[in-house]
Amino acid sequence: MKPFKHANKSIELIDNFLNTIDRGAIIFKEGVKNYLYGNRENFVDNLKTLSALETDADIYRRKVENILYTQSLMPQLRGDIMRLLEELDNTIDLAKKSLFQFDVEVPKIPAELNQDFVKLSELSAAAIESVVPAARAYFRSPELVKEKIHRVYLYEKEADKLADSIKRRVFQELPIEKLSEKFHLRYFTLHIENLSDAAERVADVLSIMAIKRTT
Amino acid sequence: MLFLIFISSGLLLGWSLGSNDAANIFGTAVGSRMISFRRAAWIASIFVVLGAVFQGRGASETLTGLGEVDALGGAFTVALFAGFTVFLMTRARLPVSTSQAVVGAILGWTFFTGSDTDYTVLTKIVSTWVSGPILGMFFAAILYILLRKTLRRTKIHVIKLDTYIRIALIMAGAFGAYSLGANNIANVMGVFVPSAPDILLNFGIFTLDGVQILFLFGGLAIAVGIFTYSERVMQTVGRGILALTPEAAFIVVLAQALVLFLFSSIRFSEMLMAIGLPPLPLVPVSSTQVVIGAVLGIGLVKGAREIKIRTLSGVALGWIITPITAGIFTFFALFFVQNVFGIAVTKQIPEEITEMPVIIAEPSVLTDMAQQINMVLPGLLILSMAIIVLLVYLFFRQQKMRLKTENELLTQQNQYFNAQKALNDMEINAIQMENTMLSNKLEIKRQEYNNILLNISDQKKFLESVSDQISRLIGEKDIDKRDRELKALSARLKQRMSFSKEIDDFYGKIEQTHQDFITKLTERFPDLTEKEKRLAILLRLNLSSKEIATLMNISTKSTEIARYRLRKKMGLKERANVHDFLTNL
């Protein structure tokens, strides 16, 4: 049916976009793990996949934006929806940048920190993975958003705690001589931690959007 | 014609109604750009006219019951001053309803003419002013709860929901327009009903009596109002109601349409009576006030904590001020119309005041008495004409669109062509530059070849002269002369062996080729002499000491010393390779 053609198309694009973000989070944590344990080949492979996913996400987002604005769909909600998609896109952008920084800067991460870095990347990825179902819920059952986003806040808080602990160990406990290396490790902790912060921003946007739709 | 002049005040009232009240129906859809104004205006106009013509009679009869304005002059004044009151109150930014103004004006007429006022009808009408918004509130609340439950259960995607709401808004808008026409046409043309022309137009499929023709004019006036003035109001109202979600806006329009429909449907009243319930009075109600009621209803469901008392009191104030103002205005205006202009405002006034025939038509007997006019043929003609005009319009529109597309394509091609041209120009420039460079190189090479040629011929000449001189000396008997000449020859050869010109040429070329290297070398070691720089270039070319000695016209030993000094000046360690150092500089 013609009136639903654009609606169906944009629904499909949004679903694809959300799948891409979800996959991006998984690939990111795999990439960090591969880097830390020296699986260079797999790491490069992850980097390529993430880069392709990021490009796909951008394409989907632009297509959705194009349809929503040219077809005047949801004049009141499209601004919010586009902001949500932008914030979600930001998470995969950050993930890609972060992984690229591993590739370019090749940080020397002491083996003692490997476990912590893996866990930090898992927590950040979990925050993203939890915000995706919440975003899906917004489109069909906005009243369920609230109960889905509390996980995001939990993972974000845990990631913050772990990042603080890593930084403390780097600067106070581990025998790292060069200050530059300490800074380098701090930056990489920050890069990974930023992902969970981005997921938290998405959750904030979502909670306001859900309130708008349910009241 | 005179009839048309008299109903002009009613038409003005219709125009005002169209420009204001259509916004209650399509305001949200147009304001939020869900539907274009043009499309909304067409839908609203068509359905308003249909509602007015086919269902407008019910509410009009009640108004006639209040006071049967039986003369065209009176009806004109009543409609004019009802409209005037609406205009004044709108200017004063007071809440106003056309229905209330019309009722007030009719009451003004009854007081002026001393006719009996039917207080039962009046009570019925006034009660609907209150019950209309309350019913709107009730319908909106119920419908909103139902819609919310349905949406929660069906879990429709928000984008798809938007499309459903769009369609629903158009349908509710059409229904709203039909109900508005059916209910509010009484405000516009109700007072003229007793003066309706006594004719019956037969269109084959349906017939239109005098009252319906009157309503058709009223409906068209409303449509004109919609097309000419309602866009701005729609944008304003749309933005005002936009605070509501699209779902709520749809409910508001639907509740309003339902209320207006119920207050104008004769069949629904009959149905209520059939099941033993009291019938709903068929009275024109204010669509704006019903909308206010509906918005309140949704607010109550949503659990709104504050209800704007000011809005409600404004509505209540309108119930009192509007009819009183309209009544007073009409009362005095009738006095002037009758006594100053000498136009009859009621049938009860003696006939000598006006010569205009007063037409009284009873709707019930109208069809029997009416002059029948067969409109089948003209109707068919008009329909055929309309279809032809539509086809021609569509054809030209299609042509226009095709031309537009072609133009766009042409512009795109033009832009592409320009871009291609710019690219070609750039390529041509690049090729020209390359050509110039190549021809310069060619020139240099040619000069080089010339030099080599000259050199060869010069060398040949020199060697020939040396050969001649040696041949001559072989035969020379005078030993002293031979020794002298041999010494001179040796000196000539030594002089020739310095190759100073060739060496200068060689250095010139080498320096040209290694310009970057010389710049870097000078930057890093500014103390180097020209000779040392030349030595550095030769070392960089990986030439042996012997070769360098020949080129610098010094001994091999001196070359070694110069090389040592250069290493020292550049601060090279003992083991460092000077060639590697200079290559990586």
Side-chain angles (χ1 to χ4, degrees), chain A residues 3-4 7-8 10-11 14 68 71-77 81 139-141 143 212-215, chain B residues 32-34 144 148 152 155-164 166-167 242 244-247 302:
Chain A
F4 290 98
N8 287 334
S10 37
I11 291 170
I14 289 173
L68 292 190
Q71 301 304 320
S72 290
L73 297 180
M74 300 181 301
Q76 291 145 314
L77 295 178
I81 290 177
F139 291 104
R140 289 184 190 273
S141 323
E143 62 281 353
K212 273 192 194 172
R213 272 202 72 199
T214 46
T215 52
Chain B
S32 61
R33 291 183 200 157
M34 278 186 160
Y144 191 67
R148 219 155 67 160
R152 269 190 198 158
K155 290 183 181 173
I156 303 170
H157 196 286
V158 69
I159 301 177
K160 217 172 220 178
L161 180 67
D162 175 74
T163 315
Y164 282 123
R166 236 166 238 261
I167 297 166
L242 267 182
L244 295 171
T245 58
E247 296 93 316
K302 280 185 172 181

Side-chain angles (χ1 to χ4, degrees), chain B residues 266-309:
Chain B
I266 299 170
R267 275 195 195 157
F268 182 73
S269 285
E270 285 170 356
M271 266 170 59
L272 284 180
M273 280 196 289
I275 54 170
L277 287 170
L280 270 180
L282 305 177
V283 178
V285 283
S286 161
S287 62
T288 312
Q289 289 178 6
V290 179
V291 165
I292 293 171
V295 173
L296 266 176
I298 290 173
L300 286 175
V301 175
K302 280 185 172 181
R305 287 191 184 89
E306 52 178 79
I307 289 167
K308 285 184 182 167
I309 303 292

